Structures are given as structure tokens and as C-alpha cells.
Amino acid sequence: MSGLAAVMKSEVSAVPIRKIFELVFSSFNVTAQFSILGLVLLAFVFAHFIWFIERTNNPAFRIEYASGLADAFWYAFVTATTAGYGDKVAISTLGRVLSMLWIFTGTYLSSTLYAAIASGVLANGRLQDDV
């Protein structure tokens, strides 16, 4: 015996994908909404800082404002949510320090968002026996 056991209902029914989406999207409570808003707004602010710092010495960030800011916003959003893809990186010391702070901030905001969604899903799931 391995010591691993699973407890399941004797009747397992398939849950329609529509119900799962309804459950997740109905759980966007105030905390989740503020987390999304905070993440997007702070990513926009960080994008301005990182673009201003990196634009002259880093070819990954274009010098023109609109296209350079788009590059920086992509970098900010990806860095905050996944610690980056590596297609854009900060090369200056100040840019790297700022990016490290942004990684911690983005991780916190992303975690708050995921926790709020999970909390809402669990609360809604507890109220609905068929999910």
C-alpha cells in the first residue's frame, strides 16, 4: 500500500465548460477588480519609467514615444505576471533594480488577483451543489 488515497463521490458527473466560465467570471469581486486595475495602472507607470531609462542604450525599447511605450508596457506586463519572456530585458543598472522591484510588486498584485478569483470560485462553488 502506497499511503496515497483519493476520496471521490461515487457519481462523478461532467461539469459543462460554460458553468466553469460562469463560476470564474462571476467571482470577480471588488478585490479582483482593484487588483486588475492596480496591475494595469502600475504597469503603465512602470512602462514610462523603464522606457525613459532604457530607450537610449537598449535596442529592445524604441526611442519613439508611442512605439517605445508599447514595448515598455509589454515588458512591464510580462515581467509582472510571469517574470518575463526574455525578449526584452533591462540592461542598465537602474533599469535592472527597478525591474526587480517591479517583479516583486507584480507578483504581489498577481497573487492578490489569483487569490481573489479562487476565493470567489470557492465561495460560489459552495453555494452551488452542481459544480
Side-chain angles (χ1 to χ4, degrees):
M1 188 171 236
S2 69
L4 178 65
V7 178
M8 297 173 47
K9 288 172 62 173
S10 60
E11 296 177 16
V12 177
S13 60
V15 178
I17 194 75
R18 193 179 117 247
K19 284 233 183 233
I20 293 171
F21 279 114
E22 286 174 6
L23 187 60
V24 169
F25 289 117
S26 68
S27 67
F28 268 60
N29 56 25
V30 175
T31 305
Q33 292 169 2
F34 276 119
S35 295
I36 291 171
L37 182 64
L39 186 62
V40 171
L41 288 177
L42 285 176
F44 190 70
V45 170
F46 173 77
H48 276 86
F49 283 125
I50 202 70
W51 172 75
F52 185 76
I53 293 167
E54 295 289 325
R55 67 188 162 124
T56 55
N57 298 323
N58 192 338
F61 299 97
R62 290 175 274 188
I63 294 175
E64 300 83 24
Y65 177 73
S67 57
L69 191 61
D71 293 338
F73 186 76
W74 167 255
Y75 173 75
F77 200 75
V78 168
T79 301
T81 56
T82 63
Y85 286 127
D87 58 341
K88 298 185 185 317
V89 294
I91 58 174
S92 69
T93 302
L94 182 58
R96 287 179 178 188
V97 169
L98 193 62
S99 294
M100 286 180 359
L101 293 173
W102 178 242
I103 288 170
F104 290 125
T105 304
T107 301
Y108 171 77
L109 289 173
S110 297
S111 299
T112 303
L113 171 63
Y114 304 148
I117 292 171
S119 175
V121 166
L122 290 174
N124 287 342
R126 217 175 273 143
L127 297 175
Q128 301 173 3
D129 291 335
D130 61 336
V131 176

